[in-house]
Amino acid sequence: MFDVKEIVANSLAPLIPSFNKNSLYDMLEYPPNPEMGDVALPCFKLSKVYKKAPALIADELLKNIPQSEYFEKVEAVSGYLNFFINKSLFIKTVIGEILDKDTKYGASDIGNGKNVVIDYSAPNIAKPFHVGHLRSTSIGNALYKIFEFMGYNCIGVNHLGDWGTQFGKLIVAYKKWGDAKRIEQNGIKELMDIYVRFHTEAEKDPTLDDEARAWFAKMEHGDEEALKLWQWFKDISLKEFKRIYDLMGIKFDSYAGESFYNDKMEAVIEELKEKDLLKESQGAMIVDLDEYDMPPCMILKKDGSSLYATRDIAAAIYRKNEYNFDKCIYVTAAAQALHFKQWFKVVELMEYDWAKDLVHVPFGLVSLGGEKLATRKGKVVLLEDILNKAMEKTLETIEAKNPNLEGKEEIAREMGVGAVIFSDLSANRIKDVSFSWDEILNFDGETGPYVQYTHARACSVLKKADEEVNSAFNSELLDSKEEYQLAKTLKLFPERVIQAMEDLEPSIITRYLVDLAQAFNRFYNTHSILVDDNDLRTARLAMVKSTKITLANGLKLIGLSTPERV
Ligand code: ARG
């Protein structure tokens, strides 16, 4: 596209033979205010080589620089060479490209032929889906969409926590205090209750723990009754999880959870033995990581049962064989950083060269009005409650603003859920986020509803105009600073998407969308669009349409819907 620095560097290169084009490119700066042009060359760096004052160099360059359609003017001011680009050509190029590429604007094919596995969401069976899982779900889903937009083939895996000693406890709890009917009715909440009760009672009666261990051992040995109960707990939990995924519009390519690897661990343990990596320690089997300043990675417990890390290693090997991934990305809370570091190291010690392609994407905690949202002591804030509340509140706002809106319930769902996801993706993922209803649902703040509302506003202008908008428009009529600023912002989208992918950071897109919505609204509030002058109207509509395209492409990348009316 119209890369301003590239164009300036190209025209300077023949005049400054001591520097190559790339180093000139790097020397260029974006001036702090528009009176100093769009790009500037500071001549101080040249003055050493040429042994001349910067101001003199700037004057000489100015005299010799050839005329170009790309520049409106060039000025030499106090040692800087300031380039003012041809704004109308710039707008023409940028807007023309967006209108041509449409839903593909910002997309790329750099990932063609490559597979990326993204492991995200991964709630635990019989435990609530809480806001911590929301972060994993929204970040993972956004990364999925971003990589896909860059041409990669993505495989989204929901590595459910569906195996482990806790199921032994749950079976004991169920057998002692469970009520099948109530569990069918109340689902995970009921399972949680009996699970919490198990812990209170086991404090008084430790034999309960032995019973639980025995039941888990039965599960591991394929006992029919144990597995039937486990499957039932799993079905009940999945029903609830899927309800949330449906609300959020999220899908997975695989639901292979921890239990999927039960029959694949034996081979891993054999391999670890063969490679001389396993060591006994107090009856357990470990991989010693002392040399790497890490605690040992536990592979088998004293009683021979496997662990979270064992299953992760088996899963990684399985995924490499099954999907031949270019990268395998794990999205979890930062609290699990050591776990990933440890078993990534084990895979490396197993001499798999693809160990370097395993990536942990950590994120910070979520709090609600400053309160930490922990699972313990039953003080959980369930994601489903949050989503429902967001939808209700959005519906209230719509009722107040636009009570006759058609399909308002569905739009309230799209915007309510969008508000929650957007807020979750607003800050750098590693930062802790605090959740405040007033902030996330504000139609005028830096929020999902604000961006969606701006998108709908663009849609409604286009609908009202009801005319064909394409790249045949006269960009010379778009000569205001708001129009130029909007075009400059629109042009940034493709590089922001690449940056979001490289940094595994969806917040780059979220923040970009706020900037774009603001630039559009400044334009919209300053200029009438549906004016009588045909050429001017068509030109402004071209800006509106390219904004609509870019907002929609960006919203989809972070997993938000793009309602056309609100
Ligand atoms: N179930 C785990 C949790 O809730 C997350 C699993 C993440 N994925 C993985 N392969 N370890 O914390």
Side-chain angles (χ1 to χ4, degrees):
M1 224 205 271
F2 198 117
D3 182 340
V4 195
K5 280 194 181 177
E6 175 91 19
I7 292 165
V8 172
N10 274 334
S11 55
L12 284 171
L15 306 180
I16 312 176
S18 313
F19 291 84
N20 66 27
K21 202 192 99 191
N22 288 342
S23 47
L24 287 171
Y25 186 103
D26 293 339
M27 237 180 254
L28 295 171
E29 291 173 1
Y30 293 116
N33 82 53
E35 273 110 72
M36 299 153 133
D38 299 286
V39 177
L41 175 74
C43 297
F44 313 97
K45 290 175 185 149
L46 305 177
S47 91
K48 265 203 203 115
V49 178
Y50 290 105
K51 302 206 167 42
K52 274 187 213 164
L56 199 62
I57 298 178
D59 284 341
E60 281 176 15
L61 285 173
L62 180 62
K63 253 183 253 144
N64 295 316
I65 199 132
Q67 283 275 344
S68 155
E69 58 162 349
Y70 289 111
F71 309 125
E72 238 156 47
K73 64 176 176 192
V74 186
E75 282 177 358
V77 181
S78 6
Y80 282 89
L81 197 58
N82 296 336
F83 293 83
F84 295 77
I85 66 164
N86 177 340
K87 296 191 179 70
S88 103
L89 182 60
F90 176 82
I91 294 177
K92 181 94 195 157
T93 318
V94 172
I95 303 303
E97 179 171 335
I98 299 174
L99 294 175
D100 287 344
K101 292 193 170 160
D102 201 339
T103 54
K104 291 270 177 298
Y105 176 58
S108 148
D109 54 11
I110 52 178
N112 275 6
K114 292 185 193 143
N115 297 336
V116 172
V117 174
I118 306 175
D119 176 320
Y120 62 108
S121 194
N124 302 316
I125 298 304
K127 295 218 179 126
F129 195 120
H130 55 79
V131 279
H133 291 120
L134 163 68
R135 287 211 90 188
S136 176
T137 309
S138 42
I139 295 170
N141 183 55
L143 292 177
Y144 187 111
K145 298 265 158 71
I146 293 168
F147 273 94
E148 190 172 58
F149 205 49
M150 295 287 100
Y152 288 87
N153 175 43
C154 296
I155 303 110
V157 184
N158 196 338
H159 189 79
L160 294 169
D162 63 356
W163 204 253
T165 43
Q166 73 270 28
F167 291 100
K169 296 177 185 172
L170 201 56
I171 293 178
V172 174
Y174 172 66
K175 290 192 150 266
K176 294 214 187 304
W177 318 292
D179 176 341
K181 238 206 196 125
R182 286 181 45 174
I183 292 176
E184 290 285 354
Q185 254 165 26
N186 304 333
I188 294 176
K189 274 195 180 115
E190 191 70 26
L191 291 175
M192 266 301 279
D193 279 352
I194 60 171
Y195 187 70
V196 169
R197 178 153 176 202
F198 177 92
H199 282 274
T200 346
E201 307 259 349
E203 269 175 32
K204 291 176 269 174
D205 176 8
T207 64
L208 285 178
D209 279 317
D210 299 329
E211 272 183 60
R213 258 192 294 276
W215 273 106
F216 181 58
K218 279 190 180 183
M219 274 171 62
E220 294 233 277
H221 293 114
D223 177 87
E224 206 179 309
E225 188 193 357
L227 287 181
K228 222 169 138 182
L229 283 171
W230 164 79
Q231 185 63 49
W232 181 52
F233 299 147
K234 191 167 159 174
D235 291 343
I236 285 182
S237 307
L238 273 177
K239 212 162 80 192
E240 274 176 55
F241 297 159
K242 288 202 168 142
R243 214 162 56 214
I244 294 171
Y245 295 139
D246 282 348
L247 267 183
M248 294 176 72
I250 283 180
K251 287 200 169 61
F252 295 91
D253 301 299
S254 160
Y255 270 91
E258 295 191 37
S259 69
F260 180 76
Y261 301 97
N262 282 345
D263 61 355
K264 299 172 182 61
M265 254 149 358
E266 197 55 45
V268 174
I269 290 156
E270 277 313 307
E271 195 180 330
L272 284 166
K273 275 188 200 149
E274 261 164 47
K275 295 186 171 162
D276 210 18
L277 292 166
L278 271 195
K279 219 167 104 176
E280 210 201 297
S281 165
Q282 297 165 351
M285 295 305 257
I286 59 156
V287 177
D288 189 356
L289 299 174
D290 223 20
E291 222 183 292
Y292 310 98
D293 283 332
M294 282 186 267
C297 184
M298 265 256 247
I299 300 292
L300 288 175
K301 283 192 201 165
K302 256 207 309 256
D303 62 8
S305 55
S306 60
L307 289 112
Y308 186 41
T310 329
R311 291 189 277 271
D312 258 332
I313 297 169
I317 295 172
Y318 172 84
R319 289 172 190 174
K320 185 65 197 180
N321 292 334
E322 187 72 13
Y323 306 118
N324 190 25
F325 57 73
D326 202 57
K327 246 191 210 0
C328 183
I329 294 170
Y330 299 84
V331 187
T332 80
Q336 296 193 30
L338 179 62
H339 161 75
F340 285 99
K341 243 178 106 183
Q342 285 176 301
W343 76 260
F344 287 0
K345 193 69 187 178
V346 174
V347 174
E348 189 191 313
L349 293 172
M350 290 171 93
E351 292 181 336
Y352 284 117
D353 58 356
W354 47 266
K356 62 174 188 346
D357 305 324
L358 302 169
V359 190
H360 181 220
V361 174
F363 55 79
L365 296 170
V366 192
S367 60
L368 187 59
E371 245 180 282
K372 204 174 134 186
L373 298 164
T375 335
R376 244 167 283 142
K377 293 178 201 150
K379 227 183 129 200
V380 241
V381 178
L382 297 180
L383 174 61
E384 201 170 1
D385 296 340
I386 291 193
L387 293 178
N388 285 332
K389 195 162 165 190
M391 294 187 285
E392 263 165 46
K393 284 180 174 258
T394 310
L395 192 57
E396 280 167 26
T397 312
I398 294 176
E399 294 286 5
K401 281 193 169 205
N402 189 5
N404 299 322
L405 179 65
E406 210 182 297
K408 55 190 169 190
E409 270 85 15
E410 174 58 10
I411 292 169
R413 182 194 68 78
E414 295 180 335
M415 294 184 83
V417 171
V420 175
I421 298 177
F422 196 94
S423 110
D424 210 45
L425 296 176
S426 289
N428 281 4
R429 60 179 155 72
I430 202 66
K431 283 205 185 134
D432 292 349
V433 290
S434 166
F435 208 81
S436 132
W437 284 114
D438 293 341
E439 263 169 47
I440 75 164
L441 295 174
N442 187 348
F443 276 44
D444 302 313
E446 300 187 353
T447 63
Y450 170 67
V451 178
Q452 283 173 318
Y453 187 66
T454 305
H455 169 267
R457 172 179 273 177
C459 289
S460 102
V461 175
L462 291 165
K463 195 162 169 226
K464 212 158 157 198
D466 192 25
E467 67 179 66
E468 162 89 10
V469 180
N470 57 37
S471 48
F473 64 92
N474 182 356
S475 66
E476 277 171 27
L477 303 172
L478 303 171
D479 55 2
S480 72
K481 66 175 193 295
E482 291 81 18
E483 285 154 330
Y484 180 48
Q485 194 53 43
L486 177 56
K488 281 214 299 205
T489 311
L490 284 165
K491 181 187 174 288
L492 290 174
F493 182 58
E495 57 192 88
R496 290 294 155 84
V497 182
I498 291 178
Q499 202 192 340
M501 179 192 75
E502 285 174 351
D503 298 356
L504 301 157
E505 187 62 84
S507 65
I508 291 172
I509 311 257
T510 325
R511 281 198 295 261
Y512 170 76
L513 288 172
V514 170
D515 290 346
L516 178 56
Q518 287 172 344
F520 176 77
N521 285 321
R522 273 193 295 271
F523 156 70
Y524 181 86
N525 293 329
T526 323
H527 304 280
S528 310
I529 292 159
L530 301 177
V531 291
D532 290 336
D533 179 334
N534 283 340
D535 289 344
L536 183 59
R537 189 180 62 244
T538 308
R540 290 198 175 143
L541 282 170
M543 298 230 72
V544 177
K545 187 161 178 196
S546 33
T547 305
K548 180 219 156 226
I549 290 172
T550 311
L551 285 174
N553 292 0
L555 283 167
K556 285 182 197 148
L557 286 185
I558 51 169
L560 263 66
S561 309
T562 53
E564 305 212 335
R565 297 164 282 124
V566 305

